[in-house]
Amino acid sequence: MKFISIKILKQAIVEIAYTMALSSAFAATIFNATTTVQVSGKVQSVNTNTRTVTVINDAGIRESFQVGANVQGLDKLKAGTKVVGSANRSVRLTVLDSSPPVVPPSPNGDQTIARVAHVDNQNGFITLVDTTGASFIVQTNPPEASASVIPGTRVLVDLISAAPAAQ
């Protein structure tokens, strides 16, 4: 009798886990967006052919940015020069739920959990507040994707890559 009960219990646990995995896999809403981030650090290298500048920030993290054609004097920018500016970055948002954010940002800054503070469905702008209390705005691509969230919703924000615009 004991043997049958344990077998049935194990089978039930496996079925529940499978059902939960399936429901969460299909329930997740994922969409792409763009946000503007501050860039600061020391120039490590400059490639004038590709208009790419590699910067090492104060945390020692290396990031490369493709600089727009509107930036003049790229050929005069030397390694070690302190730079400050902004860059557009592509992000992927995964809708989680409406509970308060509890996961801290990743150490390398590539991922964080944020709460939706405001949604502009007409233009596709979403204001997010991360776990440190910092707010930032993303623009969804396409703009209609912003309709999948409401204020209070939690989202996982994944940095995809640098977009080709730094100032």
Side-chain angles (χ1 to χ4, degrees), residues 2-165:
K2 209 176 199 183
F3 176 75
I4 293 172
S5 298
I6 291 173
K7 185 177 180 182
I8 292 171
L9 180 61
K10 285 181 180 178
Q11 185 178 8
I13 290 170
V14 168
E15 288 176 6
I16 290 169
Y18 178 76
T19 303
M20 289 175 66
L22 275 181
S23 64
S24 65
F26 291 110
T29 300
I30 300 171
F31 53 93
N32 293 326
T34 304
T35 190
T36 302
V37 296
Q38 285 300 112
V39 178
S40 67
K42 289 187 179 180
V43 173
Q44 181 183 31
S45 64
V46 177
N47 183 330
T48 55
N49 294 331
T50 61
R51 300 193 60 82
T52 303
V53 177
T54 302
V55 175
I56 298 178
N57 67 19
D58 293 338
I61 298 172
R62 181 180 306 145
E63 296 183 89
S64 293
F65 300 94
Q66 190 172 9
V67 179
N70 61 329
V71 176
Q72 302 297 316
L74 189 59
D75 57 331
K76 295 177 180 72
L77 190 58
K78 303 293 179 207
T81 304
K82 178 83 171 156
V83 292
V84 177
S86 61
N88 291 331
R89 301 298 296 262
S90 296
V91 294
R92 179 175 296 118
L93 302 178
T94 304
V95 177
L96 300 173
D97 58 34
S98 59
S99 59
V102 293
V103 178
S106 65
N108 63 2
D110 288 349
Q111 192 176 68
T112 191
I113 302 281
R115 180 185 50 80
V116 174
H118 178 74
V119 180
D120 174 354
N121 287 322
Q122 185 174 1
N123 298 305
F125 290 107
I126 301 173
T127 303
L128 300 170
V129 178
D130 71 12
T131 56
T132 66
S135 66
F136 56 101
I137 297 172
V138 299
Q139 183 172 23
T140 59
N141 181 18
E144 300 81 40
S146 65
S148 63
V149 295
I150 60 172
T153 303
R154 279 187 335 143
V155 294
L156 173 66
V157 182
D158 282 306
L159 180 65
I160 296 173
S161 66

